[in-house]
Amino acid sequence: MFELGGFWPNGGGNTSSASCHTVQREVHVLLVDHDFECLISTAKMLELCLYKVTCVELASTASKMLSSEKSNFNLVMANINSPDMHGYKLLQQAVNMGIPVILLSVEDNEFLATGALENGALLYIKKPVTLDILKCLWQHVEREKMSIHKEKGRLMGMTGANNNMGGIEFRGEVEEENNIVGSNNMKDNKHKGKRNILERKGLIEDEECEPEHQIIDNKVRKRLCTRRVYTEWTRELHGKFMDAVRQLGDGRCFPKEILKRMKVPGLTRMQVASHLQKCRNDNWRPPEERKYQQNIVPTASSDADSSGQIKLRRFGSMPCQNNNSLLFQEHPKASEGSRIHFEKDIPNDGGQTITINAPIMNSNQLYHESGPSNVRSGSNPSSYPRYPSDGFFNFLDMDYFIQNCSSMQQGSAMDMNQKTSLEAIHDSDQVYPDQQNSAMPNSDSGSHWSSETSIFASNSSETGGQETKITSRV
DNA sequence: CTCCGTATCT
DNA sequence: CAGATACGGA
């Protein structure tokens, strides 16, 4: 390891007043710096200030970690000059996720600083970072939470709802907010969801649950949602989505894979899954076309026809049944799939026999019948074959199709050998052992620098300047 | 536990 | 209505 130098105050753990410790312990910092020495020293200082710290060297790695559904960072501190050039990308991603960002740099560059702030950074700090600066960071996190809270309060006032803020309620609100800010808390919400379902089914009484939640009306939720995580699927974003879909090919279109190939910072698997669902059902239009597409031909777009509800879909498929499909049907490749005609007995209401047209495929490629289990029955899901032969693929994106018609004829498998940058990142991920105490100056517990800090790094070096300078967003 | 697909919500 | 979320199941 290396020497830390002599800047540690005695009993570093006492650098903040006790009242702040609780707050600080709740702050999880994602620290990003390719200058390994800075990374380590800053991490140690952060730990001394009782923050939870995760260290990475590259912005791209950090970006990937932010995308992880498990991430719950409250603050990102990153060297803007990441050698992988992902500094601003990371900034953008974190800002989109509602996570405060503090940028670090060895450069005393006003232009850089202004740019950072304009792009949503909270602070621009010229290195070296000092303990005094770090001690105060939790305040930025809190301030960010509070500003959201204020906004919520304001909106509540606007909508005439009870304004019960203050005291205990206030704290509760902030915590709830933190859930939104923090990141994906699906798991935590699951119980609530189950409860909701039970309530809907009348299986449990609805008593105390109402108060705060109902006060926050839809507009507020929508606003918060918009501010934080709402993703609009622009034509461009959809293009990336379709690129990924194309690379994967029919039968391999899974949200996680698509997400990986899209390489869009901040985008989550669930968002992709949601979009995938829309596209599969032909329920998505580019923003520009929406107003005019409202009541357009109610195509036989669902998987069920009017009389029956059977839904068979190949796992990972990307079918499309709108009018465009007809065009595809005429595509040479479209007619290649040999189809068998088989009959299937399905315990329908009346126990009739239904007929399904489908191409040959392994039975294990069939996904499953879906929909409420008590409605499983049906007839021909559609006159259009749902399962094009291998090598051909239906696209919702007609523009894309038209542009790429020729290349598509060669099949959908695209350059699968090429490694995505994300995979490359994954390859380079290393989790270093937690125990770094050898470099830790003695302090009360001697264990501040331990379990809470994880490092994702390899070695490199860059020597920072000597004068700290902070530029702050107001 | 992770991930998927579908239903449902906002 | 687009996008987010809930949730059961693989």
Side-chain angles (χ1 to χ4, degrees):
Chain A
M1 289 312 288
F2 47 85
E3 293 303 319
L4 285 167
F7 56 77
W8 301 103
N10 285 335
N14 294 327
T15 49
S16 305
S17 73
S19 59
C20 299
H21 287 178
T22 318
V23 187
Q24 284 168 294
R25 282 182 208 282
E26 288 170 6
V27 175
H28 189 175
V29 182
L30 176 57
L31 181 62
V32 190
D33 200 332
H34 56 282
D35 179 344
F36 191 69
E37 286 189 21
C38 284
L39 180 74
I40 297 303
S41 65
T42 309
K44 291 189 173 185
M45 285 191 281
L46 283 166
E47 278 250 310
L48 275 180
C49 297
L50 302 181
Y51 302 111
K52 187 177 171 184
V53 189
T54 299
C55 305
V56 300
E57 281 193 286
L58 295 176
S60 50
T61 312
S63 182
K64 189 186 164 197
M65 292 176 72
L66 276 188
S67 301
S68 157
E69 301 202 8
K70 281 181 281 186
S71 82
N72 64 338
F73 299 103
N74 310 102
L75 179 66
V76 172
M77 281 188 81
N79 188 330
I80 187 64
N81 306 308
S82 184
D84 59 6
M85 309 298 285
H86 280 64
Y88 272 103
K89 221 174 181 179
L90 177 65
L91 170 64
Q92 187 188 6
Q93 175 182 8
V95 166
N96 283 340
M97 294 172 77
I99 303 173
V101 183
I102 293 171
L103 290 177
L104 313 171
S105 174
V106 292
E107 287 182 66
D108 182 10
N109 183 332
E110 196 175 319
F111 178 74
L112 260 184
T114 311
L117 301 185
E118 278 173 357
N119 282 281
L122 211 55
L123 288 174
Y124 177 93
I125 301 179
K126 181 191 172 303
K127 296 204 283 188
V129 177
T130 67
L131 204 55
D132 278 338
I133 296 171
L134 299 185
K135 273 195 289 189
C136 306
L137 292 190
W138 64 272
Q139 296 179 30
H140 293 296
V141 176
E142 285 298 300
R143 187 181 63 182
E144 197 69 2
K145 285 183 193 171
M146 285 173 187
S147 75
I148 295 168
H149 183 256
K150 267 188 201 161
E151 182 180 8
K152 188 194 272 182
R154 194 175 56 78
L155 286 166
M156 282 163 61
M158 274 167 46
T159 55
N162 280 339
N163 193 335
N164 269 350
M165 292 186 297
I168 294 165
E169 272 78 19
F170 176 84
R171 172 130 191 111
E173 289 272 70
V174 168
E175 278 169 7
E176 185 196 5
E177 202 52 64
N178 193 29
N179 280 346
I180 297 173
V181 172
S183 70
N184 323 295
N185 281 284
M186 273 285 291
K187 301 270 149 44
D188 298 336
N189 292 333
K190 217 159 191 176
H191 303 295
K192 287 185 199 165
K194 272 182 180 161
R195 184 189 163 95
N196 287 340
I197 287 288
L198 291 175
E199 281 166 5
R200 258 180 263 135
K201 289 178 179 170
L203 292 178
I204 59 176
E205 310 304 330
D206 190 21
E207 339 113 283
E208 12 76 47
C209 196
E210 294 292 312
E212 295 298 314
H213 295 87
Q214 303 274 325
I215 291 171
I216 306 160
D217 78 342
N218 298 343
K219 280 183 188 170
V220 176
R221 279 206 196 110
K222 178 74 180 177
R223 170 88 175 243
L224 288 167
C225 196
T226 304
R227 169 179 170 147
R228 294 291 158 190
V229 289
Y230 184 85
T231 297
E232 178 169 59
W233 285 86
T234 59
R235 194 179 272 280
E236 185 194 3
L237 189 58
H238 178 72
K240 290 185 180 176
F241 172 86
M242 289 310 298
D243 276 346
V245 161
R246 191 182 81 254
Q247 286 175 38
L248 288 162
D250 193 21
R252 288 194 296 269
C253 294
F254 306 118
K256 195 181 174 189
E257 293 302 307
I258 296 171
L259 176 66
K260 197 161 88 178
R261 282 166 177 75
M262 285 179 71
K263 298 173 197 166
V264 174
L267 194 66
T268 69
R269 186 175 58 83
M270 278 189 298
Q271 288 172 316
V272 173
S274 179
H275 188 63
L276 184 58
Q277 179 181 28
K278 287 282 177 208
C279 292
R280 278 174 171 159
N281 294 332
D282 189 24
N283 268 335
W284 182 87
R285 291 293 175 277
E288 315 84 61
E289 294 175 22
R290 282 170 195 168
K291 283 177 189 170
Y292 319 99
Q293 295 265 338
Q294 297 236 329
N295 285 328
I296 271 199
V297 200
T299 58
S301 66
S302 87
D303 292 317
D305 68 9
S306 54
S307 61
Q309 288 87 14
I310 188 164
K311 292 186 181 182
L312 281 178
R313 176 174 280 160
R314 188 178 168 185
F315 196 62
S317 70
M318 186 65 178
C320 176
Q321 289 195 306
N322 61 9
N323 294 337
N324 296 340
S325 305
L326 298 174
L327 291 176
F328 289 114
Q329 226 172 344
E330 288 160 17
H331 191 283
K333 286 273 184 180
S335 56
E336 275 179 19
S338 57
R339 295 181 189 87
I340 55 170
H341 177 94
F342 60 90
E343 297 188 347
K344 187 179 179 183
D345 280 316
I346 290 187
N348 207 350
D349 321 22
Q352 314 108 300
T353 296
I354 62 157
T355 301
I356 301 167
N357 287 312
I360 294 174
M361 66 176 70
N362 295 332
S363 58
N364 65 6
Q365 285 180 299
L366 278 180
Y367 181 47
H368 54 78
E369 299 168 26
S370 62
S373 53
N374 59 340
V375 222
R376 270 180 208 175
S377 61
S379 57
N380 191 343
S382 140
S383 58
Y384 178 71
R386 315 255 337 148
Y387 315 106
S389 61
D390 287 341
F392 178 72
F393 191 69
N394 286 335
F395 291 92
L396 291 175
D397 190 330
M398 280 308 290
D399 293 343
Y400 188 89
F401 168 73
I402 291 162
Q403 286 164 20
N404 296 277
C405 199
S406 56
S407 64
M408 279 175 58
Q409 295 187 27
Q410 294 157 14
S412 59
M414 302 260 313
D415 202 4
M416 298 299 288
N417 296 325
Q418 188 187 350
K419 246 185 181 179
T420 67
S421 61
L422 282 174
E423 283 166 335
I425 289 160
H426 185 77
D427 290 343
S428 69
D429 274 355
Q430 291 178 50
V431 181
Y432 282 63
D434 284 333
Q435 300 306 319
Q436 304 280 338
N437 291 333
S438 58
M440 179 68 188
N442 193 25
S443 67
D444 297 6
S445 70
S447 63
H448 287 149
W449 175 259
S450 58
S451 56
E452 294 285 49
T453 299
S454 45
I455 303 181
F456 298 76
S458 58
N459 230 324
S460 76
S461 188
E462 165 199 314
T463 308
Q466 294 305 310
E467 197 184 328
T468 302
K469 183 170 179 179
I470 304 178
T471 310
S472 171
R473 189 179 78 200
V474 186

